[in-house]
Amino acid sequence: MGKRPSFEKSLEALEEIVAELESGQLTLDEALERYERGVALHKACAEMLAAAEKRIEVLLKGSDGELTTRPLKADEEPPREDES
Amino acid sequence: MEPSPGEEVLTISELTRRIRRSLEEEFPHVCVVGEVSNLARPKSGHVYLTLKDGGAQISAVLWRSAAARLRFDLEDGMEVIATGSLSVYEPRGSYQITLSSIRPKGLGALQLAFVHLKDKLEKEGLFRPERKRPLPYLPECVGVVTSPTGAALQDILTVIARRFPPAHVVLRPVRVQGEGAAAEIAQAIEDFNTWGGADVLIVGRGGGSLEDLWAFNEEIVARAIYASRIPIISAVGHEIDVTISDLVADRRALTPTEAAEIVLPEFRELVGRLGDARGRLAAALRGQVGLARARLEQTRGAYGFRVPSEMVRRHEQRLDDLCAAATLATRRRLEAARDRLAAAAGRLEALSPLSVLRRGYSITRIAGTRAVLRDAAQVHSGQSIETLLHAGRLVSQVLEAESHGADGGGAPRR
């Protein structure tokens, strides 16, 4: 966890860049540099959203204490804490 | 059975009146302790109830004016201390306490335990606001600790499916009430920390009585929440009662539904925000470039820029002129050179031995050599000589060679 910049941080950085660009206070060089960074941030954000994938799972603990997940089927009654 | 002579015969009403007088005189003011039951609140605003203990019960009434002064919610099962006076309701032949005041009798055992634990954990700093961690804005995986069969899970899944359809949710099923529930909840929180796959947890259940919610008031759960490295949203019941879990957790949701609303942002809104930022990014850059271009245009038209450019144009013209002159001069020199060349070629032609031959002269050489004859003394009679004509050549034999010394006399050779 926390291995890469969070979506929120990236989106905020992107919006800051947009605001800076819109302020018109930048030199052309700076504007181009910001724009490139903005495009990269947008790409990263879009990829993060695209990577999200619907999964509903159950975390189970085996008799050996091993924690594993398996899908929770829609109409299934989820298992109780294991009664082993 | 006939009444005895002299025995007083009473009507029911008379008897009831006497009972009433007697009771009211005997018990003008009573203060009782008991448990509330059969609570009824008709539209009139009066409150009817039964007060009881293990061995007996008595009806009680709280007139509208007294009921309005209550500062707590009167509930069935509540232990109360009530004051009032006894009265008889004649039409039904029943007696009751007309209450003037009523208040809860101390705290129940659970409430006492709650207060003690709350004080203890508060002193230890488990509720400190600065300890609360921010929740991840966009968790990759949401862990849920609740009953697999409860409404809480359904509520959470429903809201998440609406807000953020591609969410990843992992449930750790536990019992949320009854013996051992607290230990299961605590273990589940620990398991999520061991597993490490979730980046935020929702721990909770739907509403219920204080007893139902009790697991979330137990120390073992509070400790587990405190020890968790993963931020936790506590979502217990329906907002009336705060639980210890609510106080320790990084964030309190009033209901499981609210927890689901807190835990994930609205997917559509994110996509919209992202798209909007992209559009504005491009537009802003175009604007910036446009601005720069406009400034450039403006500068180029400025006087300061026109003067040098005029100078440049003059220089350019001069250069063009020079260029043209140079070209012309070069061409002339070239023509002169060509003329000289032609003249030289003409002279060369005139001097060529070949053109001499054309005019009838010939060249004579000693045959087999390249030696040209200029003097008869060079040959003797009988020797072969070769004569080159304008067209063709002759080989002939010298019959006679007579030198007279063109240059003043070489001796004839034989």
Side-chain angles (χ1 to χ4, degrees):
Chain A
M1 264 160 276
K3 57 266 178 196
R4 54 176 168 70
S6 73
F7 179 89
E8 186 185 23
K9 286 263 170 348
S10 302
L11 183 56
E12 273 173 8
L14 171 57
E15 286 174 334
E16 247 169 61
I17 284 173
V18 169
E20 270 187 300
L21 270 172
E22 284 175 340
S23 77
Q25 304 285 304
L26 301 176
T27 65
L28 193 58
D29 274 353
E30 287 169 336
L32 282 166
E33 183 266 334
R34 299 289 198 291
Y35 176 78
E36 268 178 33
R37 213 142 50 81
V39 168
L41 284 166
H42 173 271
K43 185 162 169 277
C45 284
E47 278 170 359
M48 271 188 253
L49 280 189
E53 175 197 355
K54 181 185 175 115
R55 271 183 295 162
I56 311 284
E57 296 177 311
V58 186
L59 181 64
L60 294 171
K61 186 144 93 171
S63 46
D64 54 354
E66 189 76 16
L67 290 159
T68 52
T69 61
R70 66 164 181 74
L72 175 67
K73 290 164 200 91
D75 51 352
E76 173 198 27
E77 173 143 319
R80 305 224 53 131
E81 172 61 330
D82 64 359
E83 276 118 328
S84 59
Chain B
M1 194 199 287
E2 285 290 317
S4 317
E7 190 171 20
E8 193 183 11
V9 177
L10 301 173
T11 63
I12 302 301
S13 294
E14 180 62 25
L15 175 62
T16 304
R17 252 194 311 276
R18 286 202 194 174
I19 292 172
R20 174 181 180 161
R21 197 179 310 126
S22 157
L23 275 178
E24 289 180 354
E25 278 168 11
E26 180 72 20
F27 304 105
H29 178 84
V30 293
C31 180
V32 297
V33 59
E35 186 191 324
V36 175
S37 65
N38 297 326
L39 194 63
R41 302 167 183 271
K43 284 210 177 70
S44 63
H46 308 313
V47 177
Y48 302 95
L49 60 148
T50 301
L51 291 172
K52 63 175 187 180
D53 61 17
Q57 61 178 40
I58 189 172
S59 298
V61 61
L62 196 61
W63 302 125
R64 185 167 48 223
S65 57
R69 287 196 302 270
L70 285 184
R71 285 291 164 265
F72 65 100
D73 285 325
L74 201 55
E75 278 171 1
D76 278 332
M78 192 177 262
E79 288 276 309
V80 294
I81 294 170
T83 57
S85 55
L86 267 188
S87 65
V88 172
Y89 183 48
E90 293 176 28
R92 274 219 302 271
S94 64
Y95 60 96
Q96 63 187 19
I97 304 179
T98 300
L99 297 172
S100 52
S101 79
I102 187 167
R103 61 188 164 86
K105 179 195 169 237
L107 294 169
L110 289 181
Q111 277 170 313
L112 213 60
F114 175 87
V115 170
H116 281 159
L117 183 60
K118 181 166 172 268
D119 283 350
K120 176 178 155 188
L121 298 182
E122 189 155 32
K123 281 202 189 84
E124 281 187 43
L126 266 65
F127 310 153
R128 275 179 297 127
E130 61 269 27
R131 198 201 76 87
K132 309 280 182 211
R133 289 158 301 190
L135 305 177
Y137 181 72
L138 184 66
E140 274 174 51
C141 173
V142 177
V144 179
V145 176
T146 192
S147 161
T149 53
L153 177 62
Q154 291 316 311
D155 289 349
I156 289 169
L157 292 180
T158 303
V159 172
I160 285 182
R162 171 165 55 74
R163 281 179 75 81
F164 202 96
H168 181 198
V169 178
V170 174
L171 168 73
R172 178 90 174 121
V174 293
R175 284 182 293 149
V176 292
Q177 68 188 70
E179 192 70 28
E184 275 187 25
I185 295 166
Q187 184 62 49
I189 292 169
E190 208 182 302
D191 287 345
F192 264 119
N193 277 275
T194 308
W195 180 56
D199 33 18
V200 63
L201 296 183
I202 297 175
V203 177
R205 55 157 292 154
S209 68
L210 187 60
E211 286 86 347
D212 292 341
L213 306 181
W214 195 250
F216 295 90
N217 281 326
E218 289 203 31
E219 185 165 358
I220 185 173
V221 173
R223 299 277 178 205
I225 292 174
Y226 188 71
S228 174
R229 280 174 289 108
I230 307 168
I232 292 181
I233 304 172
S234 170
V236 182
H238 287 289
E239 74 202 75
I240 305 156
D241 293 308
V242 66
T243 63
I244 301 282
S245 294
D246 292 334
L247 296 171
V248 188
D250 297 286
R251 183 77 179 265
R252 179 195 180 191
L254 297 181
T255 61
T257 297
E258 197 196 43
E261 280 162 358
I262 290 170
V263 79
L264 279 165
E266 190 101 49
F267 188 73
R268 261 188 323 214
E269 192 194 300
L270 283 191
V271 171
R273 227 173 115 188
L274 199 55
D276 180 53
R278 184 71 176 85
R280 281 166 60 200
L281 191 65
L285 183 73
R286 270 199 298 276
Q288 189 89 19
V289 169
L291 221 64
R293 183 173 293 139
R295 274 177 62 188
L296 187 65
E297 292 293 333
Q298 206 178 11
T299 316
R300 203 157 57 188
Y303 176 74
F305 231 109
R306 266 203 322 263
V307 172
S309 78
E310 214 121 279
M311 283 169 59
V312 167
R313 270 200 292 280
R314 271 206 303 278
H315 282 305
E316 278 172 353
Q317 200 173 359
R318 169 107 183 90
L319 199 61
D320 285 345
D321 288 351
L322 286 173
C323 217
T327 307
L328 196 63
T330 309
R331 193 183 302 136
R332 272 188 195 133
R333 286 194 55 184
L334 212 61
E335 275 167 7
R338 198 178 291 133
D339 288 350
R340 278 180 64 191
L341 184 64
R347 283 212 299 282
L348 193 66
E349 172 79 359
L351 289 172
S352 165
L354 294 178
S355 59
V356 175
L357 292 186
R358 196 184 296 128
R359 279 186 271 138
Y361 296 96
S362 62
I363 297 167
T364 305
R365 301 189 294 200
I366 298 167
T369 73
R370 296 210 151 264
V372 174
L373 290 184
R374 290 188 186 84
D375 187 343
Q378 285 173 263
V379 290
H380 49 85
S381 68
Q383 199 172 357
S384 291
I385 54 170
E386 178 186 40
T387 307
L388 300 179
L389 304 174
H390 171 61
R393 77 187 176 105
L394 301 170
V395 178
S396 37
Q397 236 170 15
V398 178
L399 295 178
E400 197 182 308
E402 190 180 324
S403 174
H404 45 72
D407 51 357
R413 294 171 52 173
R414 304 227 149 206

